[in-house]
Amino acid sequence: MALKLGDMLVQAGLITKEQLEKALVEQKTSGDKLGACLIKMKFITEEATTDCLGKQYKVPTVNLSNTQIEPQVLKLIPADFAQKYQVIPVARQGRTLQVAMSNPADPFTIENIQFLTGMEVKPLVCADTAIARAMEKLYAGSAGLTEAMKAVQEEEGQVEFVDKEQEDVVTQADMEAAPVVKLVNQLIFDAVKRGVSDIHIEPYEKVLRVRFRIDGVLQEAMSPPKRIAAAVASRIKVLSRLNLTERRLPQDGRFSVKAGEQNVDFRVSTMPIKHGEKICIRILRQSGLSSDLSKLGLDGKPLENFLAASLKPNGMILITGPTGSGKTMTLYSLINRLNTPKVNISTAEDPVEFDMMGVNQVNIHPEIGYTFAVALKAFLRQDPNIVLVGETRDRETGEIAMTAAMTGHLVLTTLHTNDAPSSLNRLLDMEIPPFLIAATVNVIEAQRLVRTICPNCKQPDPSMTPEMISKLGADPAEFEGVTFYKGAGCMECNRTGMKGRTGLYEILVVTPAIRKLILSRASTDEIRAMAVKEGMILLRQDGFNKVKKGITTLETVIAKTVAD
């Protein structure tokens, strides 16, 4: 007769009898399985538990963290079934399906899987905590979405349209219908759980498509019935306090939810398109803010130069890059670092993205004449030490900001340019006097965001030969002796090999030599050459340095930067 797990662990000397007794008491209180209690109480590791389970049941073990599971295999067992029986399909070999479970001696579960799939089941054993974690990663909340979708589908026969014109008419009852509310709530919960940055809800002629942006890449999340498109839009408008009856003009709103211990803010934008209203929901996490800028990817001498400029009592710091390059996160992280009771900080934003205690934040409203320039003039009457201008868009805003920088204020602002040197000529194009630019700008930081290699499945990439490096557009001599890495694909990264993002940075310090070039209206190329001569690391070079450190791939860096 096989020993019970607890007895086997004691017999193997992996836990003591006292630890087993404590875990049994915890099990009665929590209702969790014994193995989960032992792991939670740190009496044993997950790996040791899995090994003992394998010996107890005399079946092979599986490490789900390092196992690549094909999408078509995962689809063999639906999320709700996997959740109910706590099983994960791992691999298919002909008519045999390998399934991870914590109790492979349960004939009832095995019979149900065989009936569901029509295949023979080969059980693999692993700790129930590993299965629960894999469930969250692999199905990524789809069990809840499936249930919500099912509730919407069950109402199919209850909806009847009189004609095409009435199809988009949504009543208050439709909007608050339990299935639609549940679907929207589950969609939001799923997005927060998966680390999504944006949710795109797009109505087309016959389908409603929902996509998530994860690490900068859009992925299709679900396709609810097209008939509920207007109801979903209205539900989101209710959450965002937008005008329900306005469908001809774009609208902007926001709402917040509490996820665990943190508040998550959602910025909502609606836009009328041919077949309804497209909705984009941006997810803003306060947890992403840090006073440690090295966590964003800024390090070494560039970080020193950037922080030195931020500690000056006056002058201007310019942050530049295209939309989606992480400028806002860098600005807020810098403000978070500078925010102390000893300084007065005011910001003008369009719109305010993060609420920050101790910072006076202003939403500008150009439609009523409350522009960046107007807000900036008001700030200067409020005795500020630090001023943040969301974006310098025109000459008036630029001149007021630079005047403030000359008169004892530290000014932070953004521009939309491709790199740091071209920002200076962008300011000149706005007809801002060269002497004002030269006298006020302390440092210009340009940036991009690139995807990073998944640390869980990271491995050397033998395909990166000198020929391949040349084909990608880089010099093989630059990478002589470098070991390239890639992600093999695992459940942690949704089998993409990439997980998370980091920044590439270019820091241009405005030195006396650079000031002379500004005053002489030198070209961008001349300014760049001088900056490089004085030690500036270009965006692509910063990317190459991160490739050498094994943080990202050469293909990713080259796709996000331009040759110099």
Side-chain angles (χ1 to χ4, degrees), residues 62-75 88-92 97-98 100 134 138-139 489-491 494-495:
V62 62
N63 184 340
L64 290 174
S65 295
N66 296 327
T67 302
Q68 184 173 350
I69 301 175
E70 298 295 331
Q72 58 267 31
V73 172
L74 198 63
K75 289 178 182 177
I88 301 285
V90 174
R92 176 180 180 174
L97 181 64
Q98 295 181 352
L138 293 168
Y139 289 104
C490 65
M491 71 174 188
N494 198 25
R495 296 173 293 278

Side-chain angles (χ1 to χ4, degrees), residues 26-250:
E26 172 64 22
Q27 183 185 23
K28 288 179 182 178
T29 305
S30 65
D32 293 335
K33 292 184 178 180
L34 179 61
C37 293
L38 288 165
I39 293 167
K40 183 171 65 176
M41 298 172 79
K42 300 189 186 312
F43 291 157
I44 193 171
T45 64
E46 198 171 78
E47 293 75 14
T49 304
T50 299
D51 289 341
C52 279
L53 285 169
K55 292 174 183 176
Q56 179 184 7
Y57 293 114
K58 295 182 173 59
V59 299
T61 62
V62 62
N63 184 340
L64 290 174
S65 295
N66 296 327
T67 302
Q68 184 173 350
I69 301 175
E70 298 295 331
Q72 58 267 31
V73 172
L74 198 63
K75 289 178 182 177
L76 293 172
I77 297 182
D80 51 354
F81 184 99
Q83 184 75 37
K84 180 178 179 180
Y85 293 100
Q86 287 296 287
V87 296
I88 301 285
V90 174
R92 176 180 180 174
Q93 297 174 337
R95 299 300 303 166
T96 301
L97 181 64
Q98 295 181 352
V99 181
M101 53 179 64
S102 61
N103 183 9
D106 179 5
F108 178 72
T109 298
I110 292 175
E111 285 174 10
N112 277 330
I113 296 172
Q114 289 175 338
F115 180 78
L116 173 73
T117 63
M119 304 175 70
E120 289 296 319
V121 172
K122 180 183 178 182
L124 305 175
V125 70
C126 74
D128 42 27
T129 50
I131 290 176
R133 191 170 61 254
M135 193 83 62
E136 290 184 3
K137 296 289 183 182
L138 293 168
Y139 289 104
S142 59
L145 278 175
T146 301
E147 187 181 337
M149 284 277 288
K150 195 178 292 182
V152 171
Q153 297 285 5
E154 285 171 357
E155 290 210 334
E156 184 76 40
Q158 301 176 25
V159 179
E160 191 173 321
F161 299 117
V162 177
D163 54 41
K164 182 69 178 176
E165 290 183 359
Q166 289 189 339
E167 184 168 318
D168 289 333
V169 176
V170 182
T171 66
Q172 188 74 15
D174 292 329
M175 185 179 61
E176 296 176 355
V180 171
V181 171
K182 187 173 184 180
L183 182 68
V184 172
N185 290 350
Q186 187 61 45
L187 184 67
I188 291 168
F189 171 79
D190 188 28
V192 171
K193 193 175 181 181
R194 292 177 64 179
V196 171
S197 61
D198 300 88
I199 305 171
H200 292 262
I201 302 171
E202 305 159 321
Y204 295 97
E205 184 178 7
K206 296 181 180 178
V207 297
L208 177 62
R209 182 172 70 172
V210 178
R211 294 188 291 170
F212 289 162
R213 189 179 292 280
I214 303 175
D215 294 336
V217 179
L218 281 170
Q219 303 173 14
E220 191 152 344
M222 61 186 296
S223 295
K226 171 62 167 63
R227 63 181 178 80
I228 67 164
V232 168
S234 294
R235 174 60 185 164
I236 293 170
K237 284 182 178 180
V238 168
L239 293 173
S240 313
R241 298 184 179 180
L242 299 178
N243 185 347
L244 289 174
T245 60
E246 181 56 77
R247 297 181 186 174
R248 300 168 300 171
L249 296 172

Side-chain angles (χ1 to χ4, degrees), residues 238-312:
V238 168
L239 293 173
S240 313
R241 298 184 179 180
L242 299 178
N243 185 347
L244 289 174
T245 60
E246 181 56 77
R247 297 181 186 174
R248 300 168 300 171
L249 296 172
Q251 295 189 74
D252 294 303
R254 63 190 306 146
F255 63 93
S256 299
V257 299
K258 190 169 181 64
E261 295 300 316
Q262 62 167 323
N263 287 323
V264 181
D265 295 323
F266 297 80
R267 201 176 79 197
V268 178
S269 171
T270 71
M271 179 178 70
I273 60 175
K274 184 176 181 181
H275 297 290
E277 286 181 283
K278 180 188 185 298
I279 298 174
C280 179
I281 305 175
R282 173 153 290 187
I283 302 176
L284 307 166
R285 296 172 177 80
Q286 291 279 3
S287 59
L289 299 180
S290 172
S291 57
D292 184 1
L293 295 174
S294 65
K295 291 182 178 178
L296 302 179
L298 191 57
D299 55 17
K301 189 65 176 176
L303 176 59
E304 290 177 23
N305 291 336
F306 190 63
L307 292 180
S310 72
L311 294 176
K312 292 184 177 181

